[in-house]
Amino acid sequence: MAGEPKRNRFHSLCPYFAMFPESFVETWVERLTKPSQVVLDPFCGRGTTPFQSLLMGRRAIGCDVNPVAYCISRAKTRRISAAAVRRRVTQLESQFNPDEWEASRRRLPEFFRVAFSPLTLRQVLFLRQHLEWRRNPSDCMIAALLLGCLHGESNKSPSYLSNQMPRTISTKPGYSVRYWIKHGFTAPRRDAFELARKMITFRYESALPGGHAEIVNEDMRNLPITLGKRRKIGCVITSPPYFDVTNFEEDQWLRLWFLGGPPHPTQGRVSRDDRHGDAAKYWTFIADMWRMLGQTVSKEADVVVRLGTSRGDAEELPKLLAECGKFSQRSVSLVTSEISPLRRRQTDSFRPGTAGCRFEVDCHFRLH
Ligand SMILES: C[S@@+](CC[C@H](N)C(=O)[O-])C[C@H]1O[C@@H](n2cnc3c(N)ncnc32)[C@H](O)[C@@H]1O
């Protein structure tokens, strides 16, 4: 496409906590795979591995237990035209009657009524109810575009629907309301249909890749059954939840609500593995990842893992990861490991005031 932006605009469709940059995936895909080979990410988050792999002419499989991750990853790895998505927005807009949504708006907890202006909230409620994002590719794209606009720094940009919030995580309801009242912030009047159209124009300045990835929304432990006897996966590029760093489910509660979840933060409803504070349980979880990989990937497969922790010893991490490799029931060798400098790495965006992540390690293994 002439004049296409240098960075594909679908990469930043919606931010995700502890996301890795596309350059990380690009480097490893280039180094380890050939065109049309399959790349798997069993913890795909915002879908950087499948999306970047498709852009580089590979095939891709992504898995994540969190519906937010699933929706974003699926939207950017399934080709659908801007015209089709625009038509669907127009169709939905023509069905919207604001009066029908006033009662539902009033029933919501206080947070929502301070977070969104009355008209915006009625539109959001309507879209939440009518978008068939699991079944319809246009609806999936609209949902993903809106997930990226649902909350953010609205005093700096007109591209967010909510009152002033971070874009990466959804702050807790009580804290948010106190913060808005203390600073005198009020919800902006934003039109969700208009914003969706604006986002279609902006994102589609870049082309979606050809082909589509297989994205599954489930616990990665189920992959051997879901993927069956296909043993063509020769490369895995992934980043499991870090040890004692964040809870993806709780920190994305508002996006989860938009996709049909309850109107408050939850823990353990979507994932029991987001934030292990107990080392033994965490390493059992990582052992489960190896067990799944042992049953899923081909002979001589490359496995690249980026991992971090808020405590412990950086040198220990590759050793512990490699030790758990025995649960794959295959022979595992550590090819390289590199401790990442903290500066400009994926956990930079962690919430201020928390322990965050002290270091990250990139390990390349071979599964014989
Ligand atoms: C570090 S993030 C991955 C971020 C991703 N690399 C990106 O660039 O967006 C870890 C992901 O693991 C997911 N997760 C947690 N438990 C899981 C499980 N049992 N099976 C599959 N995914 C899981 C979380 O929902 C989260 O999206």
Side-chain angles (χ1 to χ4, degrees):
M1 198 191 287
E4 203 174 304
K6 219 167 160 217
R7 181 183 188 228
N8 190 300
R9 289 196 172 157
F10 286 97
H11 273 303
S12 51
L13 183 58
C14 181
Y16 203 81
F17 224 29
M19 55 199 175
F20 45 44
E22 57 266 23
S23 57
F24 174 76
V25 178
E26 189 180 8
T27 303
W28 287 105
V29 167
E30 186 67 50
R31 201 177 287 172
L32 301 175
T33 68
K34 294 199 167 54
S36 80
Q37 279 191 342
V38 185
V39 182
L40 165 71
D41 186 346
F43 303 99
C44 69
R46 68 168 175 163
T48 309
T49 297
F51 183 67
Q52 182 64 34
S53 300
L54 287 188
L55 287 176
M56 294 170 76
R58 275 61 172 175
R59 289 183 291 153
I61 302 174
C63 167
D64 202 291
V65 76
N66 192 312
V68 173
Y70 173 71
C71 178
I72 306 166
S73 299
R74 221 178 125 107
K76 50 166 91 153
T77 60
R78 184 159 290 240
R79 200 166 192 163
I80 173 96
S81 72
V85 184
R86 256 192 218 105
R87 269 198 304 278
R88 179 67 175 138
V89 171
T90 306
Q91 185 195 38
L92 286 161
E93 192 175 23
S94 70
Q95 292 166 358
F96 171 64
N97 173 358
D99 297 340
E100 285 173 14
W101 296 92
E102 182 53 16
S104 315
R105 187 187 80 84
R106 284 176 189 273
R107 275 197 299 274
L108 281 169
E110 184 192 18
F111 165 87
F112 289 86
R113 285 174 278 113
V114 195
F116 300 100
S117 77
L119 179 64
T120 310
L121 187 49
R122 290 184 213 142
Q123 291 176 331
V124 168
L125 278 163
F126 166 85
L127 288 162
R128 178 178 181 271
Q129 180 82 20
H130 283 81
L131 283 172
E132 296 186 352
W133 60 272
R134 281 191 185 270
R135 285 200 291 134
N136 174 330
S138 293
D139 287 23
C140 183
M141 179 57 83
I142 298 167
L145 288 165
L146 290 174
L147 286 177
C149 303
L150 193 60
H151 52 83
E153 300 196 355
S154 48
N155 60 348
K156 291 192 192 146
S157 160
S159 299
Y160 299 114
L161 295 171
S162 76
N163 205 334
Q164 178 70 4
M165 273 176 91
R167 186 177 183 226
T168 312
I169 62 155
S170 329
T171 38
K172 301 268 168 45
Y175 167 85
S176 309
V177 172
R178 285 193 299 278
Y179 178 83
W180 293 325
I181 290 172
K182 181 173 166 199
H183 295 277
F185 288 134
T186 52
R189 283 174 63 89
R190 300 272 151 84
D191 185 315
F193 299 104
E194 206 179 292
L195 190 53
R197 271 191 289 266
K198 187 174 137 191
M199 283 299 137
I200 295 167
T201 303
F202 177 74
R203 298 283 169 212
Y204 274 90
E205 286 283 313
S206 299
L208 282 168
H212 68 259
E214 181 173 350
I215 307 290
V216 287
N217 182 203
E218 63 185 17
D219 192 306
M220 55 83 203
R221 295 172 182 88
N222 298 332
L223 280 177
I225 295 168
T226 306
L227 300 179
K229 295 224 177 298
R230 285 174 286 164
R231 290 290 176 85
K232 298 242 171 67
I233 301 164
C235 181
V236 176
I237 301 173
T238 196
S239 177
Y242 292 2
F243 177 48
D244 200 18
V245 171
T246 190
N247 187 313
F248 296 93
E249 174 179 341
E250 192 180 20
D251 287 334
Q252 298 189 51
W253 73 269
L254 192 53
R255 290 190 179 126
L256 284 167
W257 168 77
F258 182 65
L259 295 180
H264 50 78
T266 57
Q267 285 186 16
R269 192 183 71 92
V270 166
S271 168
R272 295 184 191 287
D273 302 306
D274 278 355
R275 184 173 192 165
H276 285 286
D278 176 303
K281 287 194 179 136
Y282 182 72
W283 291 106
T284 302
F285 164 59
I286 297 298
D288 285 347
M289 171 191 81
W290 279 114
R291 193 172 289 114
M292 173 278 291
L293 291 176
Q295 295 170 44
T296 309
V297 302
S298 63
K299 264 186 145 188
E300 305 301 319
D302 292 294
V303 177
V304 178
V305 181
R306 173 171 278 191
L307 205 59
T309 164
S310 62
R311 42 187 151 119
D313 176 357
E315 308 294 333
E316 280 294 298
L317 216 52
K319 285 189 211 143
L320 289 167
L321 247 180
E323 252 172 52
C324 286
K326 65 175 181 268
F327 292 96
S328 67
Q329 310 255 350
R330 309 252 297 258
S331 144
V332 178
S333 49
L334 179 61
V335 186
T336 59
S337 81
E338 186 206 339
I339 297 172
S340 313
L342 274 175
R343 207 162 31 90
R344 302 190 65 243
R345 302 312 289 237
Q346 71 188 58
T347 49
D348 283 358
S349 57
F350 279 100
R351 210 179 311 129
T354 61
C357 178
R358 284 183 42 225
F359 50 79
E360 283 165 342
V361 178
D362 297 339
C363 294
H364 171 201
F365 298 94
R366 187 147 304 132
L367 218 66
H368 305 285

